[in-house]
Amino acid sequence: MQSTNSSSDTQTSNALDIGSPPLTKLQKIFFWFGAIGPIPSIFLYEFLTDGTVEHFGGTVSDTALFWCTIASSADAMIAFLCANVLWYPTNSLVRTLVLRTFALYSIFHWGGFLRAHYFVEPHPSGPGLYIMGIVTTWAAYIAWTDDFFRRDKTKSSTQAVNDGSYGSFPDES
């Protein structure tokens, strides 16, 4: 028997589209790269773990192999979060949450590689990619969120969300 409650299905599917401006071309490129870019490293970390550790100058050990799987899962999470921005392109709350997470992640992920490059073993590709990763994600975070340049500094984020000037949460009814 088929459900006749199509209005609630439509309401649910559009609950996260809250009318923010659509993504610009540059934002689409950024989030598509964030969604697809980690896929090779996910597979390398998961399936060619020994070679990945050796490539970066490490010694293959149980601990190194374990940390590769942790890096793989973090890369998969970033890819999933970036894909969410593409699925809900008009939701500024999703976009802001993903940019915050991506910026914080870049400090730990790329920063870890950068530290290892300078203090453990120089990596074959050099530090450029790591520096570019940190700068790019932080530039996107600063430019595309209101966290740094909110127009009305007297409002908290919660107040701005509740009065609609920052977007709004979907109804919980």
Side-chain angles (χ1 to χ4, degrees):
M1 179 152 199
Q2 194 171 11
S3 172
T4 58
N5 193 359
S6 63
S7 66
S8 68
D9 293 340
T10 304
Q11 187 178 19
T12 303
S13 68
N14 295 329
L16 291 176
D17 286 332
I18 58 174
S20 296
L23 297 172
T24 66
K25 286 185 181 187
L26 184 59
Q27 288 172 327
K28 287 178 184 177
I29 291 168
F30 178 83
F31 288 112
W32 270 110
F33 186 76
I36 295 172
I39 292 173
S41 69
I42 293 168
F43 284 103
L44 289 172
Y45 288 150
E46 285 294 329
F47 301 112
L48 299 174
T49 312
D50 295 355
T52 303
V53 171
E54 290 170 355
H55 173 76
F56 288 111
T59 304
V60 177
S61 68
D62 290 343
T63 304
L65 300 177
F66 168 74
W67 281 108
C68 275
T69 61
I70 297 296
S72 175
S73 63
D75 282 355
M77 180 59 72
I78 290 298
F80 176 73
L81 289 172
C82 287
N84 271 279
V85 175
L86 297 167
W87 290 324
Y88 302 107
T90 60
N91 189 312
S92 64
L93 296 174
V94 170
R95 193 179 313 169
T96 299
L97 178 64
V98 170
L99 285 166
R100 284 179 188 157
T101 305
F102 205 177
L104 182 63
Y105 167 80
S106 75
I107 293 293
F108 291 105
H109 183 78
W110 296 118
F113 280 111
L114 196 59
R115 182 195 167 281
H117 174 77
Y118 284 118
F119 299 109
V120 179
E121 170 96 19
H123 297 161
S125 58
L129 178 66
Y130 314 138
I131 295 167
M132 185 178 67
I134 293 169
V135 169
T136 303
T137 54
W138 276 88
Y141 173 51
I142 291 168
W144 296 334
T145 68
D146 290 336
D147 289 353
F148 289 94
F149 305 111
R150 191 174 344 183
R151 290 181 185 91
D152 188 351
K153 297 284 187 183
T154 61
K155 293 181 183 178
S156 70
S157 295
T158 304
Q159 290 169 331
V161 166
N162 289 338
D163 74 8
S165 62
Y166 189 71
S168 60
F169 290 112
D171 290 336
E172 295 180 8
S173 53

